Amino acid sequence: MKAIWRVWTISTVSLSLLSLAHASPWESLSEPNRSSSESIGGYANGCLLGAEPLPLNGQGYQVLRSQNKRYYAHPDTIAFVTELGKKASNDLRTHLLIGDMSLPQGGRFSSGHSSHQTGLDIDIWFRLADTKLSLNSLRLPKPQSLVDMSAYKLSNKNWDRRHFQLVKMTAQDQQVARIFVHPVIKEKLCRSEGGDRDWLRKVRPWWGHNYHMHVRLNCPLDDASCVNQAPPPPGDGCGKEVASWHPKHNVKSLRPAQKPSEQVKPKVVKSTPKAKKVLPQQCQQIVRNLN
Ligand SMILES: [Zn+2]
């Protein structure tokens, strides 16, 4: 009986591991499709036609964890990262470490964040690689947090003036819609800027972005099915707005009591079920062809 139980348990565990490995059908697509390039749908509910791979090693940047195949993007994004790498190399004398972008045909990752689906999101690590990383370090990179998480304070030993320059020059690019950083980093950027405050509007506080910034680009102009996010609220988002993220505002939890205006969701009446996201038709077609 015990032996049967063990076999049953082992096979159930391996089955569930298998299904975990394919938790998202998008992970099984190893190449971009041959259509012309187009971002379809929203950042967290879409896909990507005719993606391009970011070359793994370019001027001023390197791709992390390429084994995950998350280095594909819309060609506009590829051009953006390539240019940003050149600026990092020329102006900051360093190399950027590029984390997740999108899968070969976009869509949902099996783990991690729910956006990055349309080839327009890029994670860029705050760890500045003044000398390029070895292949082994690229496969299993060590993150460097700019925030002392237990004290909810900036990590002065890891903060570098170039972090300010990097976020500022990225935010000032017309293609950039938003940049997500940890609220403590946003506070530091707010304190470090003098009169030129427009770019700060695009830098939005969000949990989890202590060792990387998440850069989100606007929809490419010709991509009619691509859905932009509403623009950030007016103002630089400093002062009270970023302070409202401080855990002291809500002692019971680490989340802010009052979320900043752009996060507040309309109250849902209990009897109405939450509207299910419907994947755009063109993306559904890709998934259907897998079966
Ligand atoms: Zn991200």
Side-chain angles (χ1 to χ4, degrees):
M1 185 64 190
K2 260 188 184 167
I4 295 171
W5 172 252
R6 204 169 294 137
V7 169
W8 182 83
T9 316
I10 291 169
S11 50
T12 315
V13 169
S14 34
L15 264 179
S16 34
L17 282 177
L18 259 180
S19 56
L20 257 183
H22 295 282
S24 165
W26 298 96
E27 298 270 356
S28 64
L29 294 157
S30 56
E31 297 290 329
N33 61 26
R34 291 170 176 270
S35 323
S36 55
S37 303
E38 193 177 347
S39 294
I40 312 274
Y43 300 97
N45 188 39
C47 61
L48 173 63
L49 308 183
E52 273 183 21
L54 178 67
L56 298 185
N57 198 351
Q59 189 192 342
Y61 77 86
Q62 284 178 294
V63 171
L64 298 174
R65 298 189 289 220
S66 58
Q67 67 272 22
N68 292 344
K69 287 206 171 273
R70 292 177 178 181
Y71 53 84
Y72 290 86
H74 189 283
D76 288 6
T77 309
I78 301 295
F80 171 83
V81 175
T82 312
E83 270 313 298
L84 195 64
K86 284 182 191 159
K87 283 190 214 159
S89 154
N90 296 332
D91 304 347
L92 309 179
R93 302 274 159 211
T94 194
H95 305 99
L96 303 177
L97 297 174
I98 308 298
D100 289 344
M101 296 203 297
S102 291
L103 289 165
Q105 299 194 31
R108 184 178 266 275
F109 293 154
S110 59
S111 60
H113 20 211
S114 61
S115 61
H116 289 256
Q117 296 196 24
T118 53
L120 301 170
D121 291 296
I122 317 132
D123 287 342
I124 301 176
W125 282 31
F126 287 125
R127 177 177 165 191
L128 299 172
D130 291 347
T131 50
K132 282 204 170 184
L133 264 54
S134 68
L135 285 178
N136 264 346
S137 309
L138 291 170
R139 282 183 74 82
L140 276 172
K142 289 197 184 83
Q144 191 181 66
S145 176
L146 295 189
V147 182
D148 174 347
M149 298 297 277
S150 52
Y152 196 81
K153 263 190 185 158
L154 195 76
S155 164
N156 288 318
K157 74 172 165 50
N158 289 343
W159 176 261
D160 183 318
R161 175 75 190 167
R162 290 177 298 173
H163 289 123
F164 172 84
Q165 294 169 287
L166 173 64
V167 183
K168 181 170 178 174
M169 77 185 182
T170 309
Q172 283 178 324
D173 193 295
Q174 292 286 312
Q175 267 180 279
V176 173
R178 271 175 168 73
I179 301 175
F180 299 104
V181 300
H182 189 281
V184 165
I185 299 173
K186 167 90 189 199
E187 281 176 338
K188 174 67 179 173
L189 297 169
C190 289
R191 284 197 301 276
S192 308
E193 180 53 273
D196 176 19
R197 305 191 72 81
D198 281 358
W199 63 276
L200 284 164
R201 181 181 174 198
K202 290 187 192 173
V203 183
R204 312 309 302 170
W206 205 267
W207 303 113
H209 294 84
N210 53 308
Y211 69 89
H212 74 280
M213 64 172 174
H214 175 138
V215 181
R216 173 163 293 169
L217 303 185
N218 289 308
C219 281
L221 281 180
D222 299 333
D223 293 6
S225 311
C226 181
V227 183
N228 273 311
Q229 210 175 339
D236 59 15
C238 298
K240 270 187 194 165
E241 189 178 335
V242 69
S244 75
W245 286 75
H246 198 289
K248 274 186 191 160
H249 276 253
N250 184 359
V251 184
K252 281 183 197 154
S253 89
L254 285 174
R255 301 278 159 154
Q258 189 74 51
K259 289 183 176 180
S261 49
E262 72 168 326
Q263 277 184 279
V264 176
K265 287 181 185 159
K267 274 188 183 165
V268 181
V269 183
K270 260 191 180 168
S271 57
T272 342
K274 205 177 167 191
K276 219 183 157 206
K277 277 185 192 169
V278 180
L279 196 63
Q281 277 298 325
Q282 281 159 288
C283 308
Q284 284 187 31
Q285 191 63 45
I286 295 174
V287 181
R288 222 174 284 137
N289 288 344
L290 287 172
N291 300 323

